[in-house]
Amino acid sequence: MIQFAQRLHPLRSNVFADMDQAKARARAAGREIIDLSLGSSDLPAQPHVLEAIARSLEDPTTHGYLLFHGTREFRQAAATWYEQKFGVNVDPETEVLPLIGSQEGTAHLPLAVLNPGDFALLLDPGYPSHAGGVYLASGQIYPMPLTAENHFLPVFQDIPAPVLAQSKLMVLSYPHNPTTAIAPLAFFQEAVAFCQHHHLVLVHDFPYVDLFFNNAPPPSILQADPDKTVSIEFFTLSKSYNMGGFRVGYAIGNAELIQALRQVKAAVDFNQYRGILNGAIAALTGPQTEVQATVEIFRQRRDAFVGALNRIGWYVPLPPATMYIWARLPAAWTHRSVEFCTQLVEATGVAVSPGAGFGKSGEGYVRFALVHDPAILEQAVDRIAQFL
């Protein structure tokens, strides 16, 4: 019998795998699925991005391995994008690293920072891959609870001293998946000071930088740590530029952390196809009007979906950011988010994500992904109304 590593044990329990099975049962029963469970944009990448990739296909010099020094044009584009957007100086040679999506960064950085048994401080609820990277590094997780009463921000003073003594890493992510919360710059400044004091690496996963619906852009962690003393930030082109399937992002931050992550990456993979990076360069340096158009599409979807929920008596506040709705469950389902979601999809074909899948503090909520046009979203609400 094959004996597997103990680090795989925490990865075996996966609420989203259970949801996939429930969706399969619904399809087998003839249900038409409206899938609001996955945050994968249904919108296309822009034509000028696709053209840059298409031109690359005809160039045989792009067909080989791509090493770090061959990514310089992409790293320069990323650095310039950050400098223009946030006013933070970035050295493309030492402070930028291409990634196969930001999830690669959150999965691999713990391997560079944690020794077995070290703690990582993670948001609860939070994005599941943040925990996965810690488990693969044989680290321990201390969940920082997020509550509506505290605007879904963690309270650093609540972290026990013995845990802090063993901690090496804190992971934040705002605008936040799944709660949709935005963190102000003052919170990030507090986080930077806290991590400096306790000698923690501060990671900020930042995929929803452009998907906000008010007039105040979400801050970068590097605005609170412009000297990059403890911080590293991960950005992906999946959301702003609808390039999720192309798997392209980057890390920006502390040069020592970039170098350490680069060492891990070098042991695991080369970079993605050069043509994909050429498309990413076109996205970062080209017209940004389509980014705002994407935001407006999600704003319309948000307004239509929340309005429809309110009409059936399920009152949900308008989220300030992201492509999600984080909804407190009706009283009858308060502690049964997984059961609610599995029964909902099997009865109606509407698939949503249970809050428990994002952490213990996510129980009592569900997450809707706004990945369909308003008419389909309103159809989904009609089915939910019948189920309730």
Side-chain angles (χ1 to χ4, degrees):
M1 178 179 284
I2 298 174
Q3 299 293 317
F4 290 100
Q6 292 181 354
R7 67 176 59 90
L8 289 184
H9 291 173
L11 304 179
R12 289 179 177 174
S13 176
N14 188 328
V15 169
F16 301 105
D18 297 339
M19 281 302 303
D20 280 342
Q21 293 177 5
K23 283 187 279 188
R25 290 193 295 269
R27 288 191 184 94
R31 298 286 183 196
E32 178 192 10
I33 302 297
I34 299 178
D35 197 343
L36 309 181
S37 65
L38 298 177
S40 179
S41 176
D42 60 313
L43 303 176
Q46 292 306 305
H48 70 282
V49 172
L50 300 179
E51 289 168 8
I53 297 172
R55 287 195 303 271
S56 302
L57 292 172
E58 301 297 328
D59 179 1
T61 67
T62 70
H63 296 178
Y65 290 129
L66 181 61
L67 302 181
F68 176 79
H69 292 292
T71 68
R72 190 181 194 286
E73 186 179 357
F74 171 76
R75 288 183 280 113
Q76 181 62 65
T80 300
W81 188 89
Y82 249 75
E83 289 170 352
Q84 292 175 346
K85 200 172 192 72
F86 301 114
V88 176
N89 292 325
V90 177
D91 183 349
E93 292 302 318
T94 62
E95 297 178 340
V96 184
L97 183 70
L99 297 174
I100 305 174
S102 64
Q103 187 162 321
E104 181 203 347
T106 59
H108 284 164
L109 187 66
L111 294 171
V113 174
L114 300 180
N115 290 314
D118 288 341
F119 271 98
L121 310 174
L122 305 186
L123 301 179
D124 174 23
Y127 190 57
S129 78
H130 297 168
V134 176
Y135 288 134
L136 289 175
S138 299
Q140 300 186 74
I141 290 172
Y142 179 81
M144 299 184 291
L146 307 182
T147 65
E149 294 72 22
N150 202 46
H151 310 290
F152 296 111
L153 301 175
V155 179
F156 301 137
Q157 290 72 26
D158 290 346
I159 303 169
V163 170
L164 271 177
Q166 290 181 259
S167 297
K168 296 286 185 64
L169 178 70
M170 177 188 287
V171 181
L172 302 176
S173 184
Y174 291 96
H176 185 239
N177 175 15
T179 70
T180 79
I182 293 177
L185 182 60
F187 168 80
F188 283 144
Q189 290 168 335
E190 179 189 358
V192 169
F194 183 85
C195 290
Q196 289 171 334
H197 181 73
H198 293 284
H199 307 291
L200 303 174
V201 170
L202 179 54
V203 175
H204 186 228
D205 195 10
F206 203 22
Y208 300 99
V209 52
D210 290 306
L211 289 185
F212 64 96
F213 306 116
N214 53 30
N215 294 324
S220 162
I221 198 72
L222 301 183
Q223 291 175 288
D225 187 14
D227 294 328
K228 310 176 191 73
T229 59
V230 294
S231 305
I232 186 170
E233 192 156 67
F234 298 134
F235 175 73
T236 173
L237 280 77
S238 297
K239 311 302 181 185
S240 299
Y241 300 101
N242 302 315
M243 294 180 67
F246 294 95
R247 308 311 306 133
V248 57
Y250 53 85
I252 280 187
N254 177 277
E256 291 180 291
L257 292 173
I258 293 290
Q259 176 60 28
L261 184 55
R262 181 180 166 189
Q263 287 178 269
V264 174
K265 184 177 176 66
V268 176
D269 64 63
F270 293 107
N271 295 284
Q272 57 271 76
Y273 171 54
R274 186 189 297 270
I276 292 175
L277 292 189
N278 288 342
I281 293 167
L284 294 171
T285 61
Q288 301 297 298
T289 53
E290 292 301 328
V291 176
Q292 191 56 42
T294 293
V295 173
E296 289 306 313
I297 288 172
F298 282 110
R299 184 199 302 272
Q300 292 170 15
R301 294 177 178 185
R302 176 200 68 166
D303 294 349
F305 191 76
V306 170
L309 283 178
N310 289 347
R311 284 194 295 275
I312 68 169
W314 190 346
Y315 297 103
V316 177
L318 280 174
T322 78
M323 56 197 296
Y324 307 112
I325 305 295
W326 185 240
R328 194 186 296 273
L329 280 165
W333 297 92
T334 298
H335 301 293
R336 302 157 59 200
S337 64
V338 175
E339 187 179 353
F340 174 87
C341 292
T342 53
Q343 289 191 23
L344 177 67
V345 70
E346 290 179 14
T348 70
V350 177
V352 303
S353 293
F358 299 95
K360 181 179 178 181
S361 296
E363 184 56 280
Y365 290 84
V366 291
R367 191 197 72 177
F368 301 94
L370 302 173
V371 292
H372 292 284
D373 289 334
I376 296 177
L377 294 174
E378 292 181 359
Q379 182 184 350
V381 175
D382 289 340
R383 296 189 193 180
I384 293 170
Q386 294 171 11
F387 176 77
L388 292 175

